[in-house]
Amino acid sequence: MPEYQTHDYDVLVIGAGGAGLRAATEASAQGARVGVVTKSLLGKAHTVMAEGGIAASLANVDERDNWRVHFADTMRGGQYLNNWRMAELHAKEAPDRVRELEAWGAVFDRTKDGRILQRNFGGHRYPRLAHVGDRTGLEMIRTLQDHGIHSGMDVHMEHTVLTLLKDDGRIAGAFGYDRERGRFLLFRAKAVVLATGGIGRAFKITSNSWEYTGDGHSLAYYAGAALIDMEFVQFHPTGMIWPPSVRGILVTEGVRGEGGVLKNKEGRRFMFDDIPENYRSQTADNEEEGWRYTQGDRQSRRPPELLTRDHVARCIMREVRDGRGSPHGGVFLDIAWIKPRVAGGAEHIKRKLPSMYHQFKQLADLDITEEPMEVGPTTHYMMGGIRVDADTQMSDVPGLFAAGECAAGLHGANRLGGNSLSDLLVFGKRAGEYAAKFAKENGPAGIDQSQIETAARDALAPFERTGENPYGVQETLQDVMQNLAGIVRRDSDLRQALTEVAALEQRAQRVAVSGSREYNGGWHTALDLRNLLTVSGMVARAALERKESRGAHFREDFPAKSEVEGQSNIVVQQTDTGEMQVTRTPLREMPVELQQVIEEMK
Ligand SMILES: Cc1cc2nc3c(=O)[nH]c(=O)nc-3n(C[C@H](O)[C@H](O)[C@H](O)COP(=O)(O)OP(=O)(O)OC[C@H]3O[C@@H](n4cnc5c(N)ncnc54)[C@H](O)[C@@H]3O)c2cc1C
């Protein structure tokens, strides 16, 4: 029997990013005893990296904005595969969640008359992103942390959950280890909220932090939950591409929101070449109109640089493929060109985009107020994840809730920028509330010792064998996913990806680590492999199944949207015999009132 410490909670929240902290705060406010587990230090979760802002129809900058426009924008961006109820709740509740954050101490940028300032972002009809320069995630985490910690919750920093425990079908807790000493812990809990973020580390080029190994997706899968939309991986159009050591680091869409333009090596704004039909009436058809839009002219339409991310990423790929790319295989993003057009010139750019200025100055020795940046697509966000009930955020497993990037439904085939931070607040709160309710209504569950023994034995196995280094397996997997299941996909590549993932699963069974259990990076990587391989298998299978191109999923062999394919979500679930099964579930019919909202906004 392995040695372990035991902690008892009503609600255990796994993850201390925006979704986890908001859920924990709410569950505490409902009177639940709450424990939070996080792989990193408190305040360091991936959310801290968020830059551009939080989408909410506060209508502070343009009074024409309201929840209906935000709802319609989100559904259009997601190509109508979204869970419409989630999109409705999100659009209606986001303004209150942002105002609440302000009341808890978040210091947003301000309009001249002192209200929260909002900026333009891709796919949002009106300026909608509440922001703090380009460091919004930092302010969000700081505020949630300050507020949450006083509501009384235990935080287990630098702890990793390895498995969820179940009792007779319902959730019973989780088992994991502390990264510093390598000791095991049992968390008994009446309800568990997964808020573990995304899967970007399964790909070679990514904007995501080291935490993004798909743990929550994988934990939920092995606990019996269904996952949906796993084919939809968002490739953000603008990541750094040079020098190689910084490849993938995000260049916020805020640059384009502030007037930045994309050019190919001929100096041409290629985004005007291909404007999708469903956005044509809302998109500027000349450069001057696009500029006026970014400067707040309400009669103007958005420049094509602010079309949805999936589309912009593919246009960049096209330029590169056709030989019109930049020297290092991307295109140019130019914000310096606005200098003569704005008061304060270079200072204005530095004030609006302080992190971008420093990022390029320090990492690429480039002054963005003088020269264009070189950018290209980077793996950024996972639309797919744990299937949840829209109102309560409970998964198919009783007592298991999910919120934030590891949950699915809100964004459909493509997420609009800014809609993640608002997702974390709206659905983090809901998950915390309903998890606390579940805990109140259901007594403690029993703990099955055999589940703990299996988890501990599997975790320690890499110390007991000789074999290859786990980093080699991880690196090969990242190459496989980048090359065979990336921005442009085809049947033969995806089948090849599945074959390679299966071979890597065999190799992962044989990886070995040396040294002790204390802060052993090799061991941590060995333990991440199962999650990375599981989510990669899900992505490739779902991508193979969806025989059309929609949103972030582009199939070279099925380049058009299909009305039939667009009627269902793809579901991945483990069968009783342990196989990964892919099925479909038809979209639920949207109520007439919401259909009318979409029609009105067309
Ligand atoms: C550079 C960048 C900029 C972005 N800018 C914006 C923006 O401006 N607006 C916007 O809306 N979105 C933005 N996004 C997306 C957004 O930041 C993320 O989608 C969001 O922060 C995810 O929050 P989360 O709470 O779901 O997860 P996270 O903040 O990633 O938190 C996950 C937590 O789970 C923990 N965890 C994971 N696995 C385990 C485990 N096994 N055991 C214990 N703990 C675990 C982690 O340690 C972490 O604490 C940006 C993303 C990036 C990369």
Side-chain angles (χ1 to χ4, degrees), residues 14-20 37-40 45-47 49-53 159-161 195-197 207-208 211-212 215 219 250 380-381 403-406 415 417-421 424:
I14 307 177
V37 195
T38 166
K39 285 207 285 198
S40 55
H46 180 95
T47 297
M49 296 160 71
E51 295 167 352
H159 283 59
T160 298
V161 167
T196 51
S207 63
N208 290 178
E211 294 163 296
Y212 269 30
D215 298 13
L219 290 168
L250 193 75
H380 185 59
Y381 184 87
E405 193 168 337
C406 70
R415 174 181 72 96
N419 268 0
S420 169
L421 295 188
L424 311 182

mmCIF file of all heavy atoms in Angstrom, residues 14-20 37-40 45-47 49-53 159-161 195-197 207-208 211-212 215 219 250 380-381 403-406 415 417-421 424, ligand 1:
data_model
loop_
_atom_site.group_PDB
_atom_site.id
_atom_site.type_symbol
_atom_site.label_atom_id
_atom_site.label_comp_id
_atom_site.label_asym_id
_atom_site.label_seq_id
_atom_site.Cartn_x
_atom_site.Cartn_y
_atom_site.Cartn_z
ATOM 1 N N ILE A 14 -9.506 21.547 -9.529
ATOM 2 C CA ILE A 14 -8.192 21.211 -10.089
ATOM 3 C C ILE A 14 -7.849 22.281 -11.111
ATOM 4 O O ILE A 14 -8.440 22.335 -12.199
ATOM 5 C CB ILE A 14 -8.197 19.795 -10.707
ATOM 6 C CG1 ILE A 14 -8.705 18.787 -9.668
ATOM 7 C CG2 ILE A 14 -6.786 19.429 -11.196
ATOM 8 C CD1 ILE A 14 -8.825 17.368 -10.183
ATOM 9 N N GLY A 15 -6.929 23.162 -10.752
ATOM 10 C CA GLY A 15 -6.551 24.265 -11.626
ATOM 11 C C GLY A 15 -6.755 25.601 -10.932
ATOM 12 O O GLY A 15 -7.793 25.817 -10.295
ATOM 13 N N ALA A 16 -5.752 26.481 -11.019
ATOM 14 C CA ALA A 16 -5.846 27.795 -10.374
ATOM 15 C C ALA A 16 -5.701 28.910 -11.393
ATOM 16 O O ALA A 16 -5.118 29.957 -11.128
ATOM 17 C CB ALA A 16 -4.791 27.920 -9.287
ATOM 18 N N GLY A 17 -6.210 28.701 -12.607
ATOM 19 C CA GLY A 17 -6.291 29.778 -13.591
ATOM 20 C C GLY A 17 -7.586 30.541 -13.340
ATOM 21 O O GLY A 17 -8.206 30.421 -12.265
ATOM 22 N N GLY A 18 -8.016 31.315 -14.347
ATOM 23 C CA GLY A 18 -9.226 32.112 -14.172
ATOM 24 C C GLY A 18 -10.438 31.266 -13.834
ATOM 25 O O GLY A 18 -11.211 31.605 -12.928
ATOM 26 N N ALA A 19 -10.611 30.148 -14.531
ATOM 27 C CA ALA A 19 -11.804 29.312 -14.299
ATOM 28 C C ALA A 19 -11.747 28.676 -12.920
ATOM 29 O O ALA A 19 -12.745 28.673 -12.179
ATOM 30 C CB ALA A 19 -11.905 28.244 -15.384
ATOM 31 N N GLY A 20 -10.587 28.141 -12.548
ATOM 32 C CA GLY A 20 -10.463 27.456 -11.264
ATOM 33 C C GLY A 20 -10.654 28.419 -10.100
ATOM 34 O O GLY A 20 -11.391 28.126 -9.148
ATOM 35 N N VAL A 37 -6.024 22.669 -6.334
ATOM 36 C CA VAL A 37 -4.745 22.040 -6.655
ATOM 37 C C VAL A 37 -4.222 22.666 -7.942
ATOM 38 O O VAL A 37 -4.974 22.837 -8.901
ATOM 39 C CB VAL A 37 -4.909 20.521 -6.943
ATOM 40 C CG1 VAL A 37 -3.560 19.831 -6.902
ATOM 41 C CG2 VAL A 37 -5.848 19.882 -5.966
ATOM 42 N N THR A 38 -2.945 23.007 -7.954
ATOM 43 C CA THR A 38 -2.378 23.583 -9.179
ATOM 44 C C THR A 38 -0.957 23.081 -9.409
ATOM 45 O O THR A 38 -0.184 22.964 -8.458
ATOM 46 C CB THR A 38 -2.409 25.135 -9.139
ATOM 47 O OG1 THR A 38 -1.570 25.643 -10.178
ATOM 48 C CG2 THR A 38 -1.919 25.698 -7.825
ATOM 49 N N LYS A 39 -0.644 22.823 -10.668
ATOM 50 C CA LYS A 39 0.696 22.313 -11.006
ATOM 51 C C LYS A 39 1.768 23.380 -10.787
ATOM 52 O O LYS A 39 2.912 23.072 -10.517
ATOM 53 C CB LYS A 39 0.749 21.895 -12.488
ATOM 54 C CG LYS A 39 0.034 20.599 -12.777
ATOM 55 C CD LYS A 39 0.595 19.872 -13.985
ATOM 56 C CE LYS A 39 0.231 20.446 -15.311
ATOM 57 N NZ LYS A 39 0.438 19.502 -16.428
ATOM 58 N N SER A 40 1.362 24.656 -10.991
ATOM 59 C CA SER A 40 2.356 25.730 -10.845
ATOM 60 C C SER A 40 2.100 26.464 -9.529
ATOM 61 O O SER A 40 1.267 26.048 -8.729
ATOM 62 C CB SER A 40 2.243 26.691 -12.024
ATOM 63 O OG SER A 40 0.926 27.166 -12.121
ATOM 64 N N ALA A 45 -0.635 30.486 -13.156
ATOM 65 C CA ALA A 45 -1.377 29.662 -14.127
ATOM 66 C C ALA A 45 -1.392 30.360 -15.480
ATOM 67 O O ALA A 45 -1.236 31.585 -15.575
ATOM 68 C CB ALA A 45 -2.798 29.429 -13.639
ATOM 69 N N HIS A 46 -1.609 29.581 -16.500
ATOM 70 C CA HIS A 46 -1.571 30.045 -17.880
ATOM 71 C C HIS A 46 -2.378 31.334 -18.117
ATOM 72 O O HIS A 46 -1.970 32.188 -18.905
ATOM 73 C CB HIS A 46 -2.121 28.895 -18.722
ATOM 74 C CG HIS A 46 -2.173 29.144 -20.171
ATOM 75 N ND1 HIS A 46 -1.176 28.759 -21.019
ATOM 76 C CD2 HIS A 46 -3.111 29.727 -20.933
ATOM 77 C CE1 HIS A 46 -1.505 29.082 -22.250
ATOM 78 N NE2 HIS A 46 -2.667 29.678 -22.227
ATOM 79 N N THR A 47 -3.502 31.501 -17.403
ATOM 80 C CA THR A 47 -4.349 32.695 -17.598
ATOM 81 C C THR A 47 -3.543 33.983 -17.457
ATOM 82 O O THR A 47 -3.851 35.002 -18.077
ATOM 83 C CB THR A 47 -5.522 32.696 -16.585
ATOM 84 O OG1 THR A 47 -6.343 31.565 -16.837
ATOM 85 C CG2 THR A 47 -6.367 33.956 -16.679
ATOM 86 N N MET A 49 -0.988 34.784 -18.751
ATOM 87 C CA MET A 49 -0.400 35.207 -20.028
ATOM 88 C C MET A 49 -1.389 35.954 -20.918
ATOM 89 O O MET A 49 -0.986 36.536 -21.925
ATOM 90 C CB MET A 49 0.087 33.982 -20.811
ATOM 91 C CG MET A 49 1.211 33.225 -20.131
ATOM 92 S SD MET A 49 1.341 31.548 -20.774
ATOM 93 C CE MET A 49 1.989 31.837 -22.406
ATOM 94 N N ALA A 50 -2.682 35.902 -20.588
ATOM 95 C CA ALA A 50 -3.683 36.489 -21.487
ATOM 96 C C ALA A 50 -3.429 37.979 -21.656
ATOM 97 O O ALA A 50 -3.070 38.674 -20.707
ATOM 98 C CB ALA A 50 -5.084 36.238 -20.961
ATOM 99 N N GLU A 51 -3.625 38.439 -22.874
ATOM 100 C CA GLU A 51 -3.164 39.779 -23.199
ATOM 101 C C GLU A 51 -4.298 40.748 -23.534
ATOM 102 O O GLU A 51 -4.525 41.739 -22.848
ATOM 103 C CB GLU A 51 -2.189 39.676 -24.388
ATOM 104 C CG GLU A 51 -0.937 38.907 -24.007
ATOM 105 C CD GLU A 51 -0.070 38.486 -25.190
ATOM 106 O OE1 GLU A 51 -0.500 38.649 -26.341
ATOM 107 O OE2 GLU A 51 1.047 38.005 -24.950
ATOM 108 N N GLY A 52 -5.035 40.404 -24.600
ATOM 109 C CA GLY A 52 -5.899 41.388 -25.255
ATOM 110 C C GLY A 52 -7.090 41.864 -24.471
ATOM 111 O O GLY A 52 -7.459 43.037 -24.527
ATOM 112 N N GLY A 53 -7.772 40.975 -23.734
ATOM 113 C CA GLY A 53 -8.912 41.436 -22.967
ATOM 114 C C GLY A 53 -10.017 40.422 -22.770
ATOM 115 O O GLY A 53 -9.915 39.270 -23.189
ATOM 116 N N HIS A 159 1.300 20.849 -7.195
ATOM 117 C CA HIS A 159 0.789 19.486 -7.027
ATOM 118 C C HIS A 159 0.133 19.075 -8.349
ATOM 119 O O HIS A 159 -0.546 19.886 -8.974
ATOM 120 C CB HIS A 159 -0.269 19.429 -5.938
ATOM 121 C CG HIS A 159 0.290 19.472 -4.541
ATOM 122 N ND1 HIS A 159 1.051 20.515 -4.077
ATOM 123 C CD2 HIS A 159 0.189 18.585 -3.517
ATOM 124 C CE1 HIS A 159 1.408 20.275 -2.813
ATOM 125 N NE2 HIS A 159 0.898 19.104 -2.450
ATOM 126 N N THR A 160 0.316 17.825 -8.713
ATOM 127 C CA THR A 160 -0.290 17.333 -9.956
ATOM 128 C C THR A 160 -1.267 16.208 -9.650
ATOM 129 O O THR A 160 -0.908 15.258 -8.933
ATOM 130 C CB THR A 160 0.805 16.792 -10.905
ATOM 131 O OG1 THR A 160 1.684 17.865 -11.243
ATOM 132 C CG2 THR A 160 0.213 16.214 -12.180
ATOM 133 N N VAL A 161 -2.477 16.336 -10.183
ATOM 134 C CA VAL A 161 -3.452 15.247 -10.037
ATOM 135 C C VAL A 161 -3.176 14.212 -11.119
ATOM 136 O O VAL A 161 -3.033 14.543 -12.301
ATOM 137 C CB VAL A 161 -4.891 15.797 -10.128
ATOM 138 C CG1 VAL A 161 -5.895 14.668 -10.300
ATOM 139 C CG2 VAL A 161 -5.214 16.617 -8.886
ATOM 140 N N ALA A 195 -10.498 22.418 -14.073
ATOM 141 C CA ALA A 195 -10.252 23.739 -14.690
ATOM 142 C C ALA A 195 -8.785 23.759 -15.110
ATOM 143 O O ALA A 195 -8.024 24.654 -14.742
ATOM 144 C CB ALA A 195 -10.576 24.848 -13.699
ATOM 145 N N THR A 196 -8.400 22.758 -15.879
ATOM 146 C CA THR A 196 -6.982 22.479 -16.143
ATOM 147 C C THR A 196 -6.446 23.102 -17.426
ATOM 148 O O THR A 196 -5.283 22.870 -17.779
ATOM 149 C CB THR A 196 -6.762 20.960 -16.227
ATOM 150 O OG1 THR A 196 -7.728 20.445 -17.148
ATOM 151 C CG2 THR A 196 -6.934 20.287 -14.880
ATOM 152 N N GLY A 197 -7.282 23.854 -18.174
ATOM 153 C CA GLY A 197 -6.775 24.511 -19.377
ATOM 154 C C GLY A 197 -6.675 23.582 -20.581
ATOM 155 O O GLY A 197 -7.425 22.613 -20.705
ATOM 156 N N SER A 207 1.713 28.720 -28.415
ATOM 157 C CA SER A 207 1.792 29.880 -27.520
ATOM 158 C C SER A 207 1.564 29.441 -26.076
ATOM 159 O O SER A 207 1.608 30.268 -25.172
ATOM 160 C CB SER A 207 0.702 30.885 -27.905
ATOM 161 O OG SER A 207 -0.577 30.294 -27.714
ATOM 162 N N ASN A 208 1.290 28.162 -25.875
ATOM 163 C CA ASN A 208 0.812 27.710 -24.561
ATOM 164 C C ASN A 208 1.935 27.436 -23.571
ATOM 165 O O ASN A 208 3.059 27.079 -23.948
ATOM 166 C CB ASN A 208 -0.018 26.431 -24.727
ATOM 167 C CG ASN A 208 -1.358 26.687 -25.408
ATOM 168 O OD1 ASN A 208 -2.110 25.752 -25.630
ATOM 169 N ND2 ASN A 208 -1.672 27.924 -25.740
ATOM 170 N N GLU A 211 2.160 23.999 -18.724
ATOM 171 C CA GLU A 211 1.074 23.285 -18.020
ATOM 172 C C GLU A 211 0.097 22.610 -18.979
ATOM 173 O O GLU A 211 -0.682 21.756 -18.568
ATOM 174 C CB GLU A 211 0.270 24.279 -17.181
ATOM 175 C CG GLU A 211 1.028 24.890 -16.052
ATOM 176 C CD GLU A 211 0.332 26.142 -15.531
ATOM 177 O OE1 GLU A 211 0.212 27.120 -16.289
ATOM 178 O OE2 GLU A 211 -0.090 26.138 -14.397
ATOM 179 N N TYR A 212 0.144 23.018 -20.279
ATOM 180 C CA TYR A 212 -0.918 22.617 -21.211
ATOM 181 C C TYR A 212 -0.700 21.243 -21.837
ATOM 182 O O TYR A 212 -0.494 21.106 -23.038
ATOM 183 C CB TYR A 212 -1.091 23.708 -22.261
ATOM 184 C CG TYR A 212 -2.138 24.710 -21.807
ATOM 185 C CD1 TYR A 212 -2.319 24.953 -20.447
ATOM 186 C CD2 TYR A 212 -2.955 25.378 -22.700
ATOM 187 C CE1 TYR A 212 -3.278 25.841 -19.999
ATOM 188 C CE2 TYR A 212 -3.917 26.273 -22.264
ATOM 189 C CZ TYR A 212 -4.067 26.493 -20.907
ATOM 190 O OH TYR A 212 -5.025 27.359 -20.467
ATOM 191 N N ASP A 215 -4.214 17.553 -19.305
ATOM 192 C CA ASP A 215 -4.495 16.677 -18.157
ATOM 193 C C ASP A 215 -5.993 16.527 -17.884
ATOM 194 O O ASP A 215 -6.482 15.416 -17.667
ATOM 195 C CB ASP A 215 -3.820 17.223 -16.884
ATOM 196 C CG ASP A 215 -2.305 17.268 -16.992
ATOM 197 O OD1 ASP A 215 -1.781 17.121 -18.114
ATOM 198 O OD2 ASP A 215 -1.648 17.456 -15.963
ATOM 199 N N LEU A 219 -8.010 13.197 -17.805
ATOM 200 C CA LEU A 219 -8.578 12.727 -16.530
ATOM 201 C C LEU A 219 -10.073 12.446 -16.695
ATOM 202 O O LEU A 219 -10.583 11.426 -16.228
ATOM 203 C CB LEU A 219 -8.381 13.791 -15.434
ATOM 204 C CG LEU A 219 -6.957 14.029 -14.922
ATOM 205 C CD1 LEU A 219 -6.883 15.303 -14.081
ATOM 206 C CD2 LEU A 219 -6.467 12.837 -14.116
ATOM 207 N N LEU A 250 2.993 34.234 -28.443
ATOM 208 C CA LEU A 250 1.876 34.972 -29.036
ATOM 209 C C LEU A 250 2.165 36.446 -29.297
ATOM 210 O O LEU A 250 2.823 37.113 -28.500
ATOM 211 C CB LEU A 250 0.670 34.897 -28.100
ATOM 212 C CG LEU A 250 -0.625 35.371 -28.763
ATOM 213 C CD1 LEU A 250 -1.143 34.319 -29.730
ATOM 214 C CD2 LEU A 250 -1.679 35.695 -27.732
ATOM 215 N N HIS A 380 -2.840 27.547 -30.309
ATOM 216 C CA HIS A 380 -3.173 28.545 -29.294
ATOM 217 C C HIS A 380 -4.243 28.118 -28.304
ATOM 218 O O HIS A 380 -4.135 28.365 -27.107
ATOM 219 C CB HIS A 380 -3.630 29.805 -30.031
ATOM 220 C CG HIS A 380 -3.903 30.967 -29.137
ATOM 221 N ND1 HIS A 380 -2.929 31.499 -28.311
ATOM 222 C CD2 HIS A 380 -5.029 31.701 -28.920
ATOM 223 C CE1 HIS A 380 -3.443 32.519 -27.638
ATOM 224 N NE2 HIS A 380 -4.712 32.643 -27.984
ATOM 225 N N TYR A 381 -5.293 27.480 -28.805
ATOM 226 C CA TYR A 381 -6.459 27.283 -27.928
ATOM 227 C C TYR A 381 -7.199 26.025 -28.344
ATOM 228 O O TYR A 381 -7.265 25.691 -29.521
ATOM 229 C CB TYR A 381 -7.397 28.494 -28.057
ATOM 230 C CG TYR A 381 -8.578 28.419 -27.127
ATOM 231 C CD1 TYR A 381 -8.488 28.898 -25.824
ATOM 232 C CD2 TYR A 381 -9.778 27.848 -27.536
ATOM 233 C CE1 TYR A 381 -9.563 28.819 -24.961
ATOM 234 C CE2 TYR A 381 -10.861 27.767 -26.676
ATOM 235 C CZ TYR A 381 -10.751 28.255 -25.388
ATOM 236 O OH TYR A 381 -11.809 28.179 -24.531
ATOM 237 N N ALA A 403 -14.837 23.614 -16.276
ATOM 238 C CA ALA A 403 -15.009 25.008 -16.723
ATOM 239 C C ALA A 403 -13.725 25.493 -17.353
ATOM 240 O O ALA A 403 -12.642 24.973 -17.082
ATOM 241 C CB ALA A 403 -15.386 25.895 -15.537
ATOM 242 N N GLY A 404 -13.863 26.528 -18.188
ATOM 243 C CA GLY A 404 -12.691 27.114 -18.838
ATOM 244 C C GLY A 404 -12.294 26.300 -20.053
ATOM 245 O O GLY A 404 -13.114 25.604 -20.673
ATOM 246 N N GLU A 405 -11.006 26.383 -20.389
ATOM 247 C CA GLU A 405 -10.555 25.821 -21.668
ATOM 248 C C GLU A 405 -10.728 24.304 -21.743
ATOM 249 O O GLU A 405 -10.851 23.755 -22.836
ATOM 250 C CB GLU A 405 -9.095 26.226 -21.922
ATOM 251 C CG GLU A 405 -8.672 25.960 -23.350
ATOM 252 C CD GLU A 405 -7.343 26.597 -23.734
ATOM 253 O OE1 GLU A 405 -6.924 27.585 -23.090
ATOM 254 O OE2 GLU A 405 -6.725 26.105 -24.695
ATOM 255 N N CYS A 406 -10.738 23.610 -20.628
ATOM 256 C CA CYS A 406 -10.870 22.137 -20.710
ATOM 257 C C CYS A 406 -12.313 21.719 -20.959
ATOM 258 O O CYS A 406 -12.564 20.547 -21.257
ATOM 259 C CB CYS A 406 -10.285 21.456 -19.479
ATOM 260 S SG CYS A 406 -11.217 21.716 -17.971
ATOM 261 N N ARG A 415 -13.087 29.881 -31.617
ATOM 262 C CA ARG A 415 -13.324 30.846 -30.534
ATOM 263 C C ARG A 415 -12.955 32.251 -30.979
ATOM 264 O O ARG A 415 -11.919 32.457 -31.618
ATOM 265 C CB ARG A 415 -12.469 30.480 -29.324
ATOM 266 C CG ARG A 415 -12.527 31.507 -28.207
ATOM 267 C CD ARG A 415 -11.650 31.121 -27.043
ATOM 268 N NE ARG A 415 -10.244 31.254 -27.328
ATOM 269 C CZ ARG A 415 -9.493 32.318 -27.011
ATOM 270 N NH1 ARG A 415 -10.042 33.369 -26.427
ATOM 271 N NH2 ARG A 415 -8.203 32.346 -27.281
ATOM 272 N N GLY A 417 -11.472 35.869 -30.079
ATOM 273 C CA GLY A 417 -10.554 36.395 -29.078
ATOM 274 C C GLY A 417 -11.330 37.121 -27.990
ATOM 275 O O GLY A 417 -12.329 37.788 -28.270
ATOM 276 N N GLY A 418 -10.897 36.989 -26.762
ATOM 277 C CA GLY A 418 -11.579 37.664 -25.651
ATOM 278 C C GLY A 418 -12.698 36.839 -25.047
ATOM 279 O O GLY A 418 -13.093 37.053 -23.901
ATOM 280 N N ASN A 419 -13.220 35.878 -25.809
ATOM 281 C CA ASN A 419 -14.319 35.060 -25.310
ATOM 282 C C ASN A 419 -13.851 33.965 -24.361
ATOM 283 O O ASN A 419 -14.671 33.258 -23.794
ATOM 284 C CB ASN A 419 -15.080 34.413 -26.473
ATOM 285 C CG ASN A 419 -16.248 35.266 -26.942
ATOM 286 O OD1 ASN A 419 -16.491 36.342 -26.395
ATOM 287 N ND2 ASN A 419 -16.977 34.786 -27.937
ATOM 288 N N SER A 420 -12.542 33.801 -24.212
ATOM 289 C CA SER A 420 -12.099 32.806 -23.232
ATOM 290 C C SER A 420 -12.130 33.403 -21.829
ATOM 291 O O SER A 420 -12.673 32.797 -20.904
ATOM 292 C CB SER A 420 -10.694 32.295 -23.549
ATOM 293 O OG SER A 420 -10.234 31.535 -22.451
ATOM 294 N N LEU A 421 -11.581 34.584 -21.667
ATOM 295 C CA LEU A 421 -11.550 35.145 -20.319
ATOM 296 C C LEU A 421 -12.970 35.341 -19.779
ATOM 297 O O LEU A 421 -13.220 35.123 -18.592
ATOM 298 C CB LEU A 421 -10.762 36.463 -20.300
ATOM 299 C CG LEU A 421 -9.264 36.349 -20.616
ATOM 300 C CD1 LEU A 421 -8.562 37.693 -20.380
ATOM 301 C CD2 LEU A 421 -8.579 35.265 -19.795
ATOM 302 N N LEU A 424 -14.248 31.950 -18.687
ATOM 303 C CA LEU A 424 -13.728 31.527 -17.381
ATOM 304 C C LEU A 424 -14.564 32.113 -16.252
ATOM 305 O O LEU A 424 -14.875 31.430 -15.276
ATOM 306 C CB LEU A 424 -12.275 31.991 -17.179
ATOM 307 C CG LEU A 424 -11.249 31.746 -18.278
ATOM 308 C CD1 LEU A 424 -9.877 32.237 -17.842
ATOM 309 C CD2 LEU A 424 -11.190 30.299 -18.661
HETATM 310 C C1 LIG B 1 -0.391 34.218 -24.789
HETATM 311 C C2 LIG B 1 -1.869 34.054 -24.638
HETATM 312 C C3 LIG B 1 -2.686 35.165 -24.639
HETATM 313 C C4 LIG B 1 -4.061 35.010 -24.488
HETATM 314 N N1 LIG B 1 -4.845 36.137 -24.479
HETATM 315 C C5 LIG B 1 -6.172 36.001 -24.289
HETATM 316 C C6 LIG B 1 -7.021 37.157 -24.222
HETATM 317 O O1 LIG B 1 -6.568 38.288 -24.301
HETATM 318 N N2 LIG B 1 -8.343 36.977 -24.049
HETATM 319 C C7 LIG B 1 -8.901 35.741 -23.932
HETATM 320 O O2 LIG B 1 -10.107 35.641 -23.781
HETATM 321 N N3 LIG B 1 -8.122 34.624 -23.976
HETATM 322 C C8 LIG B 1 -6.779 34.727 -24.139
HETATM 323 N N4 LIG B 1 -5.994 33.605 -24.173
HETATM 324 C C9 LIG B 1 -6.591 32.314 -23.847
HETATM 325 C C10 LIG B 1 -6.789 32.222 -22.344
HETATM 326 O O3 LIG B 1 -5.703 32.823 -21.689
HETATM 327 C C11 LIG B 1 -6.907 30.778 -21.856
HETATM 328 O O4 LIG B 1 -7.812 30.090 -22.649
HETATM 329 C C12 LIG B 1 -7.392 30.779 -20.428
HETATM 330 O O5 LIG B 1 -6.571 31.560 -19.611
HETATM 331 C C13 LIG B 1 -7.500 29.378 -19.842
HETATM 332 O O6 LIG B 1 -7.868 29.502 -18.493
HETATM 333 P P1 LIG B 1 -8.233 28.248 -17.613
HETATM 334 O O7 LIG B 1 -8.657 28.770 -16.289
HETATM 335 O O8 LIG B 1 -9.153 27.350 -18.348
HETATM 336 O O9 LIG B 1 -6.855 27.461 -17.470
HETATM 337 P P2 LIG B 1 -5.400 27.958 -16.988
HETATM 338 O O10 LIG B 1 -5.307 29.381 -16.680
HETATM 339 O O11 LIG B 1 -4.453 27.392 -17.941
HETATM 340 O O12 LIG B 1 -5.204 27.163 -15.671
HETATM 341 C C14 LIG B 1 -5.024 25.768 -15.686
HETATM 342 C C15 LIG B 1 -4.666 25.367 -14.297
HETATM 343 O O13 LIG B 1 -4.753 23.953 -14.166
HETATM 344 C C16 LIG B 1 -3.581 23.465 -13.519
HETATM 345 N N5 LIG B 1 -3.417 22.070 -13.899
HETATM 346 C C17 LIG B 1 -3.361 21.525 -15.133
HETATM 347 N N6 LIG B 1 -3.238 20.192 -15.045
HETATM 348 C C18 LIG B 1 -3.224 19.886 -13.727
HETATM 349 C C19 LIG B 1 -3.099 18.679 -12.993
HETATM 350 N N7 LIG B 1 -2.972 17.500 -13.580
HETATM 351 N N8 LIG B 1 -3.095 18.747 -11.641
HETATM 352 C C20 LIG B 1 -3.192 19.934 -10.984
HETATM 353 N N9 LIG B 1 -3.320 21.109 -11.638
HETATM 354 C C21 LIG B 1 -3.337 21.077 -12.983
HETATM 355 C C22 LIG B 1 -2.500 24.399 -14.000
HETATM 356 O O14 LIG B 1 -1.372 24.315 -13.177
HETATM 357 C C23 LIG B 1 -3.234 25.730 -13.905
HETATM 358 O O15 LIG B 1 -3.249 26.178 -12.558
HETATM 359 C C24 LIG B 1 -4.618 33.735 -24.341
HETATM 360 C C25 LIG B 1 -3.796 32.616 -24.359
HETATM 361 C C26 LIG B 1 -2.422 32.771 -24.503
HETATM 362 C C27 LIG B 1 -1.559 31.568 -24.545
#
